[in-house]
Amino acid sequence: MNRHLISAADLTREDALRVLDTADELARISDRPIKKLPTLRGRTVVNLFFEDSTRTRISFEAAAKRLSADVINFSAKGSSVGKGESLKDTALTLEAMGADAVVIRHSASGAPHRLAEWVRGSVINAGDGAHEHPTQALLDAFTIRRRFGRSSGGEPGAAAGGKPGGGLDGLRVTIVGDILHSRVARSNVLLLHRLGAEVLLVAPPTLLPVAVDAWPCSIGYDLDAALPKSDVVMMLRIQQERMNAAYFPSVREYSRRYGLDAARMAQLPERAIVMHPGPMNRGIEIAAGVADSPRSTVVEQVANGVSVRMDVLYLLLGGAEAGQ
């Protein structure tokens, strides 16, 4: 792996499989009475969040603490950023504190890339604008792999004997919803394609990016036509806080055409699973009954996020030399 994780495109197929295989090992720690490893003792991880977040920030904090790292949580609200301090000045402050890794979430696309130019530690992108969210894509791939028995983590149907797990070759993943404003969608398309999955984006034309034709995926507009051929359906939240125009007639009309309810879930193949990166708008893009069904992986994704982020921190800060 490189020194930073800013984009899913930074990962080769071998890098991604290495992350997923090592995360399988780390996931077993959550079943132990003592869930800590001394791997990153003495290292400092800074969570630098310029946008509100619950799942991602807590997930990174839990991951770093389970590896015995010191954690500093930095929130833009109530900090010098509110007084006009620039990102570069904040970066220089973190550098002076000796941060070994900076986990950054920012509303501006490209902010993690700029930060990586100013600090000597590793930079991990926890979401930048509508650009990317690579660790979310990794935990989604990890969840898919476990559900379909392609991991070495001892799940039902999984690879036996502790051997490395495989990719996602041949699986059909349909990502539905607000692709235009979704950093999760872009990272997932890049990573899932690299792991061998066939990715289909389904959304209203107004919620697709201008250059989406250049992405390694197919495009569709009819959810009902896509469902019977999907192994995985990933529902995305309508990000109304990022919208500055009317992208569809009404929320009710959007839900009618692109929402996943019980009737639509019944069209899925028997082994198909339903995913959502959260937070969910129940009753809009996903019905409550679907979100809480056994085929939903929403809770698993949260748990798997800690294991995957532990692994990313381990490989960037603790295991880079050992793994080369």
Side-chain angles (χ1 to χ4, degrees):
M1 284 181 68
N2 296 325
R3 187 162 58 95
H4 309 294
L5 180 56
I6 295 173
S7 166
D10 296 340
L11 299 167
T12 65
R13 179 182 170 95
E14 291 70 26
D15 287 337
L17 289 175
R18 181 182 171 202
V19 170
L20 300 182
D21 288 340
T22 312
D24 263 327
E25 298 295 326
L26 292 173
R28 297 171 190 172
I29 295 172
S30 62
D31 298 326
R32 299 177 183 175
I34 299 175
K35 298 178 173 61
K36 273 204 169 190
L37 292 173
T39 312
L40 298 184
R41 184 175 294 157
R43 300 295 190 106
T44 301
V45 177
V46 177
N47 288 329
L48 183 62
F49 279 63
F50 291 87
E51 281 189 324
D52 292 336
S53 171
T54 302
R55 288 172 181 79
T56 304
R57 182 182 58 79
I58 292 176
S59 182
F60 269 110
E61 183 175 359
K65 287 183 175 179
R66 286 187 185 181
L67 293 172
S68 302
D70 297 319
V71 180
I72 299 174
N73 288 315
F74 178 100
S75 175
K77 291 180 180 178
S79 72
S80 296
V81 173
K83 303 174 184 178
E85 182 174 271
S86 68
L87 176 61
K88 184 172 184 178
D89 290 330
T90 302
L92 295 175
T93 300
L94 299 177
E95 182 72 8
M97 292 179 179
D100 296 293
V102 180
V103 179
I104 178 172
R105 169 167 286 191
H106 203 287
S107 60
S109 298
H113 178 76
R114 294 307 305 271
L115 182 66
E117 298 174 352
W118 298 324
V119 298
R120 284 174 290 188
S122 296
V123 174
I124 302 171
N125 182 3
D128 60 330
H131 182 224
E132 283 214 47
H133 195 350
T135 59
Q136 180 69 45
L138 283 167
L139 75 88
D140 290 341
F142 182 79
T143 303
I144 294 170
R145 213 169 69 139
R146 286 198 137 198
R147 273 291 185 118
F148 283 90
R150 301 192 180 190
S151 73
S152 57
E155 298 297 310
K163 297 179 181 178
L168 305 178
D169 302 275
L171 289 179
R172 296 162 296 184
V173 181
T174 300
I175 302 177
V176 186
D178 186 1
I179 310 296
L180 178 63
H181 301 97
S182 176
R183 50 199 171 206
V184 172
R186 183 186 298 267
S187 287
N188 262 298
V189 167
L190 293 171
L191 184 67
L192 294 175
H193 171 74
R194 187 148 290 177
L195 289 172
E198 300 172 17
V199 184
L200 169 67
L201 301 180
V202 176
T206 52
L207 287 177
L208 290 169
V210 173
V212 72
D213 291 340
W215 294 16
C217 61
S218 303
I219 310 297
Y221 308 100
D222 187 345
L223 179 57
D224 291 304
L227 291 175
K229 298 177 285 186
S230 301
D231 297 304
V232 179
V233 178
M234 185 180 299
M235 306 304 296
L236 300 177
R237 179 176 64 91
I238 293 295
Q239 299 188 42
Q240 298 188 47
E241 73 276 9
R242 298 184 187 275
M243 295 183 179
N244 54 12
Y247 291 90
F248 43 83
S250 68
V251 171
R252 184 175 181 179
E253 174 68 8
Y254 175 87
S255 182
R256 186 181 70 82
R257 291 200 60 188
Y258 295 99
L260 186 63
D261 55 16
R264 281 200 166 113
M265 188 170 70
Q267 300 179 43
L268 290 169
E270 186 177 349
R271 289 191 67 204
I273 60 173
V274 176
M275 308 185 76
H276 196 302
M280 293 183 289
N281 287 322
R282 291 174 180 250
I284 299 180
E285 75 270 6
I286 188 168
V290 175
D292 298 329
S293 75
R295 303 177 78 174
S296 169
T297 66
V298 174
V299 176
E300 290 172 50
Q301 288 170 264
V302 175
N304 290 340
V306 177
S307 300
V308 168
R309 286 162 179 146
M310 283 175 68
D311 186 41
V312 169
L313 289 169
Y314 163 71
L315 291 175
L316 291 178
L317 298 182
E321 295 84 6
Q324 290 176 352

